[in-house]
Amino acid sequence: MTPQRSTGAGAEAELPEYAGQYLLESCLGSGGMGVVHLARSTSGLKLAVKVVHAEFARDREFRGRFRQEVAAARRVSGAFTAPVVDADPEAERPWMATLFIPGPTLSEHVKRNGPMPTAQLRRLMAGLAEALRDIHRAGVVHRDLKPSNVLLAEDGPKVIDFGISRPKDSELRTETGKLIGTPPFMAPEQFRRPREVGPAADIFALGSVMVHAATGRGPFDSDSPYVVAYQVVHDEPDLTGVPESLAPLVRRCLAKEPEDRPTSDELMRELRSVAASYDTQAFIPAQRTGEGPAAEAPAAAERNRKSFRRQAGKKAALAIGGLALVLCAAFASVQLLGGGGQVPPEASGPRTKAAAFSAWRAKPVGEGAGMPQCSYGTGKLLCTRAGVVFALSPADGTLLWQRSVATGSTSGPPTVSGGLVQPYTVGGTRLTALDPASGRNVWQRRLPKGTWIRYAGGTALLTGPDGTVTGVDSTTGRTLWHRAFPGRGMPSFTWFPGDSAAYTTMSADGSSTRVTAVDPRSGDVRWQARLSGRLKPFGAEGGSVYFLALDRVYGDARAVVRYLPGSQSTQRVTLPIALAGAHAAVRGNTVYLLASGGSLAAVDMAARRQLWRVETSVSRGSTPVADGDHVYFTAADGRLLAVDARKGTLAGQTRALLAADSADVPGAPAQPVIVGNHVYATTPDGTVFALDGRDPSGW
């Protein structure tokens, strides 16, 4: 489709046909800074491509501001924004491509349908509060939140357009240059002291946006931007028409002083009754086409109910209410943490025909904060949560035993090392080994404060505050060896199930990484290698060690690296698009990467190319795990998602389940566990559940 021509003021007489490699199909809209086009990637993924007006492309100051916008948009997760797919701020006409999100802007919706009803307003406010929390955690201040910068997507509001001024959006100017923002939605400090604008300015804008959504006008209204600016700084907001249940909170957002406004976290707590029940219900009755997931939801719900009717007993009935399938409309075919993502040895191997299995869910240790983190070992599901270690029956979720961890706090799932249960602790002064049958102490060992603990096979590796490392037999608690690793500072070890070595890495300046493989039982160095780039190990399989190659500044994953110690050879596969905050796992020759913004990609190391990539709209996800058919991961809101490992398409997901007593969600969601045909996962309210992994469409 040939791009539309624009005859509007300030726009080019004819729009470009390409932005980089992307053919611009049609014009989605034109603003003061540029034009947004609909385009498609090579694989057919719909994109929204912003191309800057030529007059601003010649402005060095603007180019710098546009680079900042691209960097800011990349840092913020894609669950609440339009994820950046590609960009070239250095092009003759700078451009940025983001995932196309169907749905109107809030401005369009209110203009077309009038003010929102109370229920939709509450969902909107909860969604925007969560979006701002995510944005502010990334160190970004939006500074221009307004109805036209809020997209009403199927799975909640998305905030767009980061960090640039819009000279033609406003006639108001400051003495030092162009105003940053739009007067009706700007905070008082943006007029009084613009250099001191922080996250609280976005909260003020949120309040103004809510008034617009509830009434069709702003809390400060005038045809003159100068009058609006005066009203924002001096007058009280007009909240006439805002529902009584929301007016007090909106008024707090519109406080004149930044310190008097709630933070995004405080907003989430105020709205926790909303956030706890927040799901992917559409903000609008139907999508633009009148088709898609909104139309399929009733049929999907019926399919889900029929699937669970095949499961007998009270537990199956409970699963119907707690694990109903919600289709994810934001899924479309087509980023610095990592726990390895390995399938436990007991769970690997070919799948066999199992006995009848009923999905179950349990909340075994009562109330309290924390998403349980689980592993599988000695025939049990072993979990930790808020200082408690407990064991469940994988068959039905029965609580077998539980034990408090008195010293330190649990961090990560328990490990079975030396045949005993070894709970990870942070800041503790004791190393504890538990009997897997009863949970009773088998042995304990006092530790110097500040000791780092890692397990490798049947050995506990203890890095003391002085940097020396002690190897301890996990079965007996006996010291096996004690030594220093010169030039390593305080070495932190990584070990992957089934591997015979533990790894420690050191990168002084990011240009190269020194990798040391250590024998956990003897402390001997097996091999060392200096590899190019800043590398982070995430897996080992088939005699190879796998790393993510990270950007030296931002830490984005730019490539997957496989090192073969036997031949001392390195294989590097560059990712088409860098992935921020990526978790990775390897199975066979395929590496799966889940970015902090929800991008899930599969890389074939044998073919040396990316197989597929999908945008999941998950803000923070766990390290993925994979079997031969699916890739599984958990979202911070408690959803378990399954993606077809071959096609990269959504296979199924459970509904969101947040803690009823808290608006907080975990920063690093717990990794699912695969055992045979079954998948085990957890939610922020303390629930542990099990599902049949062979048919995620029936979840």
Side-chain angles (χ1 to χ4, degrees):
M1 179 176 180
T2 303
Q4 296 178 0
R5 298 171 184 264
S6 174
T7 57
E12 289 73 25
E14 185 171 340
L15 302 177
E17 292 188 5
Y18 282 89
Q21 62 177 313
Y22 305 107
L23 175 64
L24 307 179
E25 298 183 349
S26 61
C27 177
L28 294 174
S30 179
M33 300 308 299
V35 181
V36 179
H37 305 265
L38 177 66
R40 291 182 186 270
S41 68
T42 304
S43 65
L45 185 68
K46 280 188 175 182
L47 305 175
V49 181
K50 178 192 291 184
V51 181
V52 172
H53 287 319
E55 61 182 292
F56 297 115
R58 295 188 289 268
D59 187 326
R60 291 181 60 187
E61 179 185 353
F62 173 78
R63 278 184 173 270
R65 215 178 276 146
F66 188 76
R67 283 193 293 269
Q68 291 178 357
E69 178 188 11
V70 173
R74 279 176 165 159
R75 290 173 64 185
V76 178
S77 81
F80 309 108
T81 66
V84 177
V85 174
D86 200 355
D88 188 356
E90 308 303 329
E92 181 179 353
R93 295 278 299 281
W95 57 271
M96 176 173 64
T98 64
L99 187 69
F100 173 76
I101 299 175
T105 66
L106 176 60
S107 178
E108 293 169 341
H109 176 77
V110 172
K111 185 176 181 179
R112 182 187 310 143
N113 303 298
M116 284 182 165
T118 301
Q120 285 190 359
L121 287 171
R122 288 174 176 168
R123 287 197 296 273
L124 174 66
M125 195 169 192
L128 288 177
E130 192 171 14
L132 288 182
R133 180 177 64 177
D134 194 66
I135 291 167
H136 295 160
R137 281 179 174 176
V140 175
V141 179
H142 192 283
R143 299 191 300 174
D144 198 20
L145 182 66
K146 58 186 178 181
S148 61
N149 283 345
V150 176
L151 285 174
L152 300 183
E154 178 75 12
D155 58 344
K158 310 288 184 181
V159 177
I160 60 174
D161 281 356
F162 283 83
I164 65 170
S165 65
R166 292 172 171 260
K168 294 187 179 178
D169 284 353
S170 170
E171 297 177 358
L172 192 60
R173 300 290 184 266
T174 67
E175 292 181 359
T176 58
K178 301 167 183 177
L179 183 70
I180 306 278
T182 305
F185 302 95
M186 292 171 63
E189 61 267 27
Q190 288 179 274
F191 298 102
R192 297 183 302 204
R193 44 185 188 274
R195 294 182 182 273
E196 301 177 19
V197 170
D202 289 343
I203 299 297
F204 188 97
L206 184 151
S208 297
V209 167
M210 292 305 302
V211 175
H212 179 88
T215 67
R217 53 163 178 79
F220 309 99
D221 221 12
S222 173
D223 293 335
S224 168
Y226 299 97
V227 174
V228 170
Y230 181 89
Q231 293 173 338
V232 168
V233 175
H234 299 286
D235 294 352
E236 289 302 309
D238 180 2
L239 302 188
T240 304
V242 177
E244 292 183 4
S245 59
L246 293 178
L249 192 53
V250 171
R251 188 177 297 277
R252 287 180 57 199
C253 293
L254 294 171
K256 300 300 183 188
E257 298 303 325
E259 59 270 21
D260 294 333
R261 300 170 205 147
T263 65
S264 51
D265 279 319
E266 289 169 344
L267 277 176
M268 292 295 294
R269 285 194 288 272
E270 291 281 350
L271 292 162
R272 66 179 180 269
S273 61
V274 176
S277 61
Y278 187 76
D279 55 27
T280 55
Q281 179 179 351
F283 279 84
I284 51 180
Q287 292 297 309
R288 294 172 178 174
T289 62
E291 301 173 350
E296 294 179 4
E302 180 61 24
R303 288 196 300 271
N304 183 58
R305 286 192 291 271
K306 290 180 179 178
S307 172
F308 273 94
R309 290 192 191 111
R310 293 196 299 266
Q311 303 171 359
K314 295 181 179 180
K315 295 184 185 297
L318 181 61
I320 292 174
L323 299 173
L325 173 64
V326 179
L327 292 181
C328 181
F331 248 99
S333 295
V334 210
Q335 247 189 285
L336 291 157
L337 299 172
Q342 300 289 325
V343 179
E346 297 92 332
S348 60
R351 292 190 169 191
T352 58
K353 187 175 180 180
F357 171 78
S358 292
W360 56 261
R361 58 182 297 199
K363 199 171 182 180
V365 294
E367 301 300 325
M371 192 175 194
Q373 300 192 65
C374 302
S375 60
Y376 179 80
T378 67
K380 301 174 182 64
L381 199 62
L382 304 166
C383 307
T384 58
R385 182 189 186 217
V388 178
V389 183
F390 55 96
L392 303 177
S393 166
D396 56 13
T398 299
L399 179 64
L400 302 177
W401 54 260
Q402 73 176 66
R403 180 177 178 84
S404 298
V405 180
T407 59
S409 60
T410 57
S411 175
T415 296
V416 174
S417 182
L420 302 178
V421 178
Q422 316 273 351
Y424 277 115
T425 58
V426 174
T429 57
R430 290 183 183 179
L431 188 66
T432 304
L434 307 178
D435 182 348
S438 63
R440 295 175 181 171
N441 276 356
V442 176
W443 57 262
Q444 285 189 339
R445 179 183 178 120
R446 288 191 174 275
L447 302 175
K449 188 175 181 180
T451 300
W452 296 352
I453 306 170
R454 291 293 184 270
Y455 294 94
T459 306
L461 302 176
L462 313 179
T463 302
D466 61 354
T468 59
V469 181
T470 303
V472 175
D473 183 275
S474 298
T475 303
T476 64
R478 178 177 60 88
T479 296
L480 298 174
W481 52 270
H482 180 80
R483 61 164 295 184
F485 292 87
R488 294 284 164 175
M490 288 187 65
S492 177
F493 290 91
T494 303
W495 177 78
F496 307 105
D499 199 1
S500 59
Y503 305 94
T504 180
T505 59
M506 175 70 71
S507 181
D509 59 3
S511 63
S512 65
T513 300
R514 190 168 188 82
V515 184
T516 302
V518 175
D519 186 325
R521 299 301 292 178
S522 66
D524 295 337
V525 175
R526 290 187 175 178
W527 55 263
Q528 295 188 71
R530 184 173 293 278
L531 306 178
S532 176
R534 177 185 168 191
L535 304 182
K536 181 179 180 66
F538 67 84
E541 188 163 310
S544 299
V545 188
Y546 290 81
F547 304 85
L548 290 180
L550 308 177
D551 179 88
R552 294 169 64 179
V553 178
Y554 298 105
D556 298 348
R558 295 192 172 277
V560 179
V561 176
R562 176 163 63 182
Y563 179 68
L564 292 80
S567 61
Q568 300 182 8
S569 60
T570 304
Q571 178 189 18
R572 181 181 296 256
V573 179
T574 301
L575 300 173
I577 301 171
L579 300 177
H583 305 264
V586 58
R587 182 178 175 85
N589 283 317
T590 306
V591 172
Y592 301 97
L593 305 96
L594 180 66
S596 60
S599 294
L600 179 66
V603 175
D604 188 327
M605 297 302 292
R608 303 195 178 200
R609 65 183 181 88
Q610 181 173 293
L611 296 175
W612 49 258
R613 172 174 165 162
V614 62
E615 298 295 340
T616 70
S617 82
V618 169
S619 59
R620 289 171 296 278
S622 69
T623 299
V625 294
D627 55 23
D629 300 316
H630 299 102
V631 184
Y632 307 93
F633 61 94
T634 305
D637 60 10
R639 284 178 292 158
L640 172 65
L641 297 94
V643 173
D644 188 294
R646 299 177 183 85
K647 302 176 182 178
T649 56
L650 177 66
Q653 67 170 322
T654 62
R655 72 175 177 89
L657 188 61
L658 292 168
D661 59 349
S662 173
D664 294 333
V665 295
Q671 184 179 18
V673 177
I674 303 174
V675 182
N677 293 318
H678 308 147
V679 184
Y680 301 87
T682 64
T683 68
D685 74 340
T687 297
V688 183
F689 62 91
L691 293 169
D692 191 327
R694 291 170 294 185
D695 184 21
S697 65
W699 289 353

